[in-house]
Amino acid sequence: MTKTFKPTESELEILSILWDKQTATVREVHEIVQKTKDVGYTTTLKLMQIMNEKGLVTRNVMSKTHIYTPTIQREIAQEQYLTKMIHTLFSGNASQLVLQALGTHHTSKSDLDQIKSMINSLQNK
Amino acid sequence: MTKTFKPTESELEILSILWDKQTATVREVHEIVQKTKDVGYTTTLKLMQIMNEKGLVTRNVMSKTHIYTPTIQREIAQEQYLTKMIHTLFSGNASQLVLQALGTHHTSKSDLDQIKSMINSLQNK
DNA sequence: TGGTTTATACGATTGTATTCGTAAGCAATC
DNA sequence: GATTGCTTACGAATACAATCGTATAAACCA
């Protein structure tokens, strides 16, 4: 069973950066965080230390500057939040979410093709 | 400009109940909340009072038992969370979210048809 | 009417997230 | 080898969310 994974707002933001970069130092993360939030370096540092304690990330302490890696797969978080969102915001109706997403967020033609073929394979079951 | 809408975890849970029922008393909400969480009546009451102060809900105080109504449209919340989720969990790629949603959440054949026709109309633009 | 139930109001407590200041170590540089 | 800059560690303050106990009033009813 997957342990309950429940990062805070700020932790999720940091995780999302780590998922994109695979691995990063506090400074690298902080530089990105700073673009949207006005917080001090030690705040980001502290958060990442706490995340380490919680097991949300691991870190390589070989060099003076630690290197952080997320422990949770992005896919697991995706699935968890998707499920929750469908439940609380879409009354459990996944297709409503899909329609909404397609309607208000741009999607390339080839991506649309990919979605169509996925639908076809689902319908042929 | 839409005011920043940022309910807490518990507030969102209550809103989701109100969205489904359109309108409800504290007791009605609490009865549903209790199915998943073991909290006292006054906790739910207090939360809804705070939500009223924040403007997340309005209430009709004509009778002794107040009747609550959500002020925020469910659609606005849907859009906001969807956007945020696509950004932090799907690297900004909406179609990834759609594929994931279709892959892991059941969708009826007629709903799938509806999605297909939506895609077709998007592609014919 | 008097007691019981059901409501709201509200203060207080507890728990957790967020933020930052300060200290201390290390490494490059002057 | 002293100074400067960057790093981590850590305690402490602040803010906010969540929970509940108690008081008070209205409505119900036997």
Side-chain angles (χ1 to χ4, degrees):
Chain A
M1 193 56 231
T2 310
K3 195 133 6 102
T4 326
F5 157 68
K6 205 168 172 325
T8 69
E9 212 29 47
S10 312
E11 286 170 349
L12 186 59
E13 195 188 345
I14 290 172
L15 277 176
S16 113
I17 292 168
L18 289 176
W19 281 325
D20 279 343
K21 299 179 69 79
Q22 307 275 14
T23 215
T25 63
V26 173
R27 179 140 312 270
E28 288 169 334
V29 169
H30 180 62
E31 235 126 60
I32 295 173
V33 165
Q34 242 186 347
K35 289 180 188 167
T36 41
K37 277 204 294 184
D38 184 28
V39 289
Y41 175 81
T42 52
T43 301
T44 305
L45 170 68
K46 179 75 167 187
L47 274 171
M48 292 177 74
Q49 285 171 342
I50 290 171
M51 290 171 77
N52 180 54
E53 282 167 26
K54 291 188 183 174
L56 293 174
V57 297
T58 51
R59 58 181 184 181
N60 184 328
V61 210
M62 282 296 98
S63 60
K64 181 194 167 192
T65 306
H66 302 174
I67 296 170
Y68 287 75
T69 316
T71 53
I72 292 105
Q73 295 301 308
R74 177 174 231 156
E75 289 69 30
I76 292 178
Q78 287 173 343
E79 184 47 33
Q80 188 174 307
Y81 280 91
L82 208 42
T83 300
K84 184 174 189 176
M85 188 167 175
I86 289 169
H87 176 252
T88 63
L89 287 174
F90 292 88
S91 304
N93 189 337
S95 61
Q96 272 309 115
L97 174 139
V98 168
L99 287 171
Q100 171 95 266
L102 290 175
T104 53
H105 295 271
H106 179 72
T107 313
S108 74
K109 283 204 193 298
S110 68
D111 281 347
L112 291 176
D113 281 338
Q114 203 185 337
I115 294 167
K116 257 206 288 196
S117 74
M118 162 130 203
I119 293 177
N120 285 331
S121 71
L122 284 173
Q123 287 184 319
N124 287 333
K125 276 201 305 197
Chain B
M1 193 56 226
T2 308
K3 196 135 1 102
T4 327
F5 157 70
K6 203 167 172 325
T8 67
E9 215 23 50
S10 312
E11 287 170 348
L12 187 60
E13 194 188 346
I14 290 173
L15 276 177
S16 112
I17 293 167
L18 290 176
W19 281 324
D20 279 343
K21 299 178 70 79
Q22 307 274 14
T23 214
T25 64
V26 174
R27 179 139 314 270
E28 288 168 335
V29 168
H30 180 61
E31 235 127 61
I32 294 174
V33 165
Q34 242 187 347
K35 289 180 186 165
T36 41
K37 276 206 292 184
D38 184 27
V39 289
Y41 174 81
T42 51
T43 301
T44 304
L45 170 67
K46 179 75 167 187
L47 275 172
M48 291 177 74
Q49 285 171 340
I50 291 171
M51 289 171 77
N52 179 54
E53 282 167 27
K54 290 187 185 175
L56 293 174
V57 297
T58 51
R59 58 183 184 181
N60 183 328
V61 219
M62 282 297 97
S63 60
K64 183 194 167 193
T65 306
H66 301 174
I67 296 170
Y68 287 76
T69 316
T71 53
I72 292 106
Q73 297 299 309
R74 178 174 229 154
E75 289 68 31
I76 292 179
Q78 286 173 343
E79 184 47 34
Q80 187 174 306
Y81 280 90
L82 207 43
T83 299
K84 185 175 186 173
M85 188 166 174
I86 289 169
H87 175 251
T88 62
L89 288 174
F90 292 89
S91 306
N93 190 338
S95 61
Q96 271 310 115
L97 173 139
V98 169
L99 288 171
Q100 171 96 267
L102 290 174
T104 53
H105 296 272
H106 179 74
T107 312
S108 74
K109 282 204 194 298
S110 68
D111 281 348
L112 290 177
D113 281 338
Q114 204 185 336
I115 294 166
K116 256 205 291 195
S117 73
M118 163 127 203
I119 292 176
N120 285 331
S121 71
L122 284 173
Q123 287 184 318
N124 287 332
K125 277 203 301 196

